[in-house]
């Protein structure tokens, strides 16, 4: 791995909070005094449209990530993770949310959403560093399904080679949600901590 840079791709669908998830990591990098360049969201921003965002940390000059050059993919939705899996470098990490959200074309009967097991088998052919998390289940336990992305971000801060500290991640959450209801900040901190605990128990 080129230790002077760290490349992250976040893949999902509109409505999952991709921008927020990516912004938390970018803010943590800035807190540590590291250069961070984040892409604008690419794709269909309407609810359930396909969306990706990229973030590069370190000695970088563009937010664009080449195929096979992502150190980490955070897959907020299984099929969207699969669509982008070839962006992952050899031995890169994939954090996968086990919460399928079929696109409108599937719900309309125009195409079939494959079984989750089939998607996971395909992903395992590309990387052995697959971390499966049922973030929806954990978020529901915390009382808010929208916390899924913060759980997955928390897990990212504990994978081997991740360039930022957990404490920076917690500070970033306070910054990103500053001015909001303190309950929202507290819930997101709990979700972040839940993600780090999941990884510690892996």
């Amino acid at each position: 791995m080129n230790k002077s840079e760290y490349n992250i791709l976040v893949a999902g669908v509109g409505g999952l909070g991709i921008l927020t998830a990516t912004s938390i990591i970018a803010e943590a990098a800035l807190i540590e005094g590291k250069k961070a360049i984040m892409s604008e969201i690419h794709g269909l921003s309407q609810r359930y449209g396909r969306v990706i965002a990229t973030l590069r940390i370190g000695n970088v000059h563009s937010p664009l990530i080449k195929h096979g050059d992502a150190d980490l993919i955070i897959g907020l939705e299984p099929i969207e993770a699969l669509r982008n899996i070839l962006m992952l470098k050899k031995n890169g990490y994939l954090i996968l949310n086990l919460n399928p959200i079929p696109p409108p074309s599937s719900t309309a009967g125009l195409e079939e959403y494959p079984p989750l097991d089939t998607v996971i088998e395909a992903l395992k052919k590309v990387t052995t560093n697959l971390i499966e998390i049922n973030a929806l289940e954990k978020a529901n336990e915390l009382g808010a399904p929208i916390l899924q992305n913060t759980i997955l971000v928390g897990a990212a801060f504990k994978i081997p080679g991740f360039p930022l500290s957990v404490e920076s991640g917690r500070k970033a959450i306070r910054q990103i949600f500053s001015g909001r209801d303190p309950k929202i900040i507290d819930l997101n901190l709990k979700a972040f901590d839940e993600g780090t605990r999941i990884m510690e128990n892996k």
Side-chain angles (χ1 to χ4, degrees), residues 43-58:
L44 302 174
S45 60
Q46 77 261 28
R47 192 165 184 82
Y48 304 137
R50 299 166 185 169
V51 182
I52 68 167
T54 58
L55 172 64
R56 304 184 69 207
I57 300 169

Side-chain angles (χ1 to χ4, degrees), residues 8-98:
I8 303 167
L9 185 145
V10 184
V13 298
L16 290 186
I18 287 176
L19 180 60
T20 300
T22 312
S23 296
I24 290 170
I25 303 173
E27 184 68 24
L30 296 176
I31 287 169
E32 294 192 12
K34 296 177 179 177
K35 185 176 180 180
I37 303 179
M38 189 174 101
S39 73
E40 294 186 6
I41 292 178
H42 301 290
L44 302 174
S45 60
Q46 77 261 28
R47 192 165 184 82
Y48 304 137
R50 299 166 185 169
V51 182
I52 68 167
T54 58
L55 172 64
R56 304 184 69 207
I57 300 169
N59 185 24
V60 295
H61 305 284
S62 164
L64 300 179
I65 299 174
K66 298 177 183 178
H67 276 77
D69 216 22
D71 296 282
L72 168 65
I73 291 178
I74 301 176
L76 304 183
E77 200 285 328
I79 280 293
E80 298 311 315
L82 183 59
R83 288 188 208 278
N84 292 280
I85 192 61
L86 294 182
M87 296 294 290
L88 192 67
K89 65 173 53 174
K90 185 177 180 181
N91 299 322
Y93 278 81
L94 169 60
I95 297 174
L96 181 68
N97 186 12
L98 301 177

Side-chain angles (χ1 to χ4, degrees), residues 161-178:
F162 195 76
L164 306 172
S165 72
V166 168
E167 186 53 39
S168 295
R170 299 184 95 255
K171 288 179 181 177
I173 287 172
R174 293 189 182 96
Q175 291 276 15
I176 294 295
F177 294 101
S178 64

Side-chain angles (χ1 to χ4, degrees), residues 78-153:
I79 280 293
E80 298 311 315
L82 183 59
R83 288 188 208 278
N84 292 280
I85 192 61
L86 294 182
M87 296 294 290
L88 192 67
K89 65 173 53 174
K90 185 177 180 181
N91 299 322
Y93 278 81
L94 169 60
I95 297 174
L96 181 68
N97 186 12
L98 301 177
N99 177 29
I101 301 177
S105 56
S106 291
T107 55
L110 301 177
E111 64 179 351
E112 183 179 353
Y113 191 103
L116 183 57
D117 288 347
T118 301
V119 175
I120 291 172
E121 286 175 13
L123 293 170
K124 286 181 175 178
K125 291 178 180 178
V126 178
T127 179
T128 58
N129 294 320
L130 173 61
I131 299 161
E132 302 171 35
I133 298 176
N134 190 333
L136 178 60
E137 179 181 64
K138 297 297 183 182
N140 282 335
E141 289 174 3
L142 292 172
I146 198 163
L147 295 171
Q148 291 176 74
N149 60 350
T150 310
I151 292 170
L152 298 170
V153 167

